[in-house]
Amino acid sequence: MSLVKTMLRNRDLIFSLAKNDFKTKFAGSYFGIMWAFVNPVVTVFLYWFVFGVVFKGARGNGDYPYVIYLVSGLVPWFLFQETLTMGTHAMLDYSYLVKKVVFKIEILPVVKLMASTFVHIFFVAFSLVLFGCMGYFSGVTVIQLLYYLVCLWAFVLALLYATSSIILFFRDLGQIITIFMQVFMWMVPILWNEAQFAAFPTVLFILKLNPMYYIVTGYRDAFIDGRWFFEKPVMSLYFWVVVIVLFMISKLIFKRLRPHFADVI
């Protein structure tokens, strides 16, 4: 709650820093911020071509084209991947602010999160238009995208306060996270369908323990399946318990390491 209060008090500063962070990332390039949208679009096309065209065995749940299944899962994944990768370097990127005694450095991971959310909003809108044009629009359940966005924010922040602190003392963490994300993606139902693990219930159960499983399937429920989050109360309760525990651990790490930030930057 203290973090929420800090974010509300500094919302104008967070938005200003996030907007500047987003623009700075592409400063000097000819096409500017357009590159922020080109990379995900190309990635979507490649995955669809490889798994939906070349390897035709890859499919969604059978009720809609594979590209629909793929895009609905990649939309939250792109935000998670971008935020965790870039947000881990928040304290390093804003080292000049970390050294200021009076500055609330708790907002720096939030700045990175907000900067990545700008592109996320575009892809949510793009997906809604795409699904609508193809005749796969879920209707009123789409409003729960806001709920699942909050879930995604909470989960990634629960990781960022630990990773953005640890990387100051262990710089290899950035490379480790990049490699880990390549493996972690295959633990989420984006390119595969859980029906493929029908013969391996234990494996599927383990995969469902991943908080991103809840978020990705939630986005898909909101986009195209028309299922409400309160229809799966056990998974919802499990998700928030895991996030709260992770957040407590992450904030403890942040609090213990914070006094030494200025010494190692």
Side-chain angles (χ1 to χ4, degrees):
M1 292 305 298
S2 63
L3 176 62
V4 172
K5 292 178 181 178
T6 300
M7 290 170 57
L8 291 175
R9 292 195 200 101
N10 298 274
R11 58 185 180 277
D12 293 335
L13 177 60
I14 291 175
F15 182 77
S16 178
L17 287 173
K19 185 170 63 174
N20 183 69
D21 186 277
F22 181 70
K23 291 180 179 179
T24 303
K25 191 184 304 182
F26 307 99
S29 61
Y30 186 77
F31 292 102
I33 62 174
M34 191 176 71
W35 290 114
F37 310 103
V38 171
N39 184 52
V41 168
V42 172
T43 302
V44 169
F45 175 78
L46 287 176
Y47 281 139
W48 166 76
F49 181 76
V50 172
F51 294 98
V53 178
V54 178
F55 301 107
K56 294 184 178 180
R59 285 292 181 268
N61 68 352
D63 297 330
Y64 33 75
Y66 181 67
V67 66
I68 298 292
Y69 185 87
L70 176 66
V71 171
S72 60
L74 283 175
V75 168
W77 175 259
F78 282 147
L79 177 58
F80 175 73
Q81 182 182 49
E82 174 76 9
T83 304
L84 185 60
T85 303
M86 304 303 297
T88 296
H89 297 83
M91 302 301 170
L92 291 171
D93 292 345
Y94 291 97
S95 58
Y96 60 95
L97 294 177
V98 175
K99 295 179 180 180
K100 292 182 179 293
V101 179
V102 296
F103 188 80
K104 293 286 186 178
I105 61 175
E106 292 90 343
I107 71 172
L108 294 180
V110 183
V111 168
K112 292 291 186 179
L113 175 59
M114 290 297 104
S116 299
T117 302
F118 293 151
V119 179
H120 180 72
I121 293 173
F122 165 80
F123 274 100
V124 167
F126 170 80
S127 300
L128 291 174
V129 173
L130 174 65
F131 299 162
C133 291
M134 296 183 69
Y136 296 94
F137 184 68
S138 64
V140 69
T141 53
V142 75
I143 63 175
Q144 65 182 338
L145 284 173
L146 293 174
Y147 164 75
Y148 285 110
L149 177 59
V150 172
C151 292
L152 184 48
W153 282 348
F155 177 52
V156 74
L157 282 177
L159 300 176
L160 279 183
Y161 281 102
T163 60
S164 62
S165 302
I166 296 173
I167 196 172
L168 297 178
F169 303 86
F170 181 61
R171 301 299 173 95
D172 292 341
L173 180 61
Q175 301 300 324
I176 293 174
I177 288 178
T178 300
I179 296 174
F180 173 75
M181 294 302 290
Q182 298 177 25
V183 178
F184 191 63
M185 183 178 183
W186 293 95
M187 299 174 65
V188 184
I190 298 175
L191 302 175
W192 52 267
N193 177 19
E194 63 181 69
Q196 296 174 256
F197 291 90
F200 307 96
T202 302
V203 175
L204 182 59
F205 174 78
I206 294 174
L207 291 174
K208 287 184 176 181
L209 296 178
N210 177 2
M212 277 303 294
Y213 181 96
Y214 176 77
I215 294 173
V216 169
T217 56
Y219 265 73
R220 196 167 283 133
D221 288 340
F223 271 131
I224 48 182
D225 286 336
R227 184 184 181 189
W228 294 98
F229 72 91
F230 49 75
E231 294 181 36
K232 42 184 182 181
V234 176
M235 286 192 66
S236 297
L237 178 61
Y238 166 77
F239 172 81
W240 284 110
V241 168
V242 170
V243 167
I244 290 172
V245 171
L246 286 175
F247 210 102
M248 293 173 63
I249 296 173
S250 188
K251 285 290 288 182
L252 178 62
I253 294 174
F254 177 82
K255 184 178 179 181
R256 292 290 179 85
L257 297 180
R258 179 177 178 175
H260 308 288
F261 283 176
D263 298 331
V264 295
I265 291 181

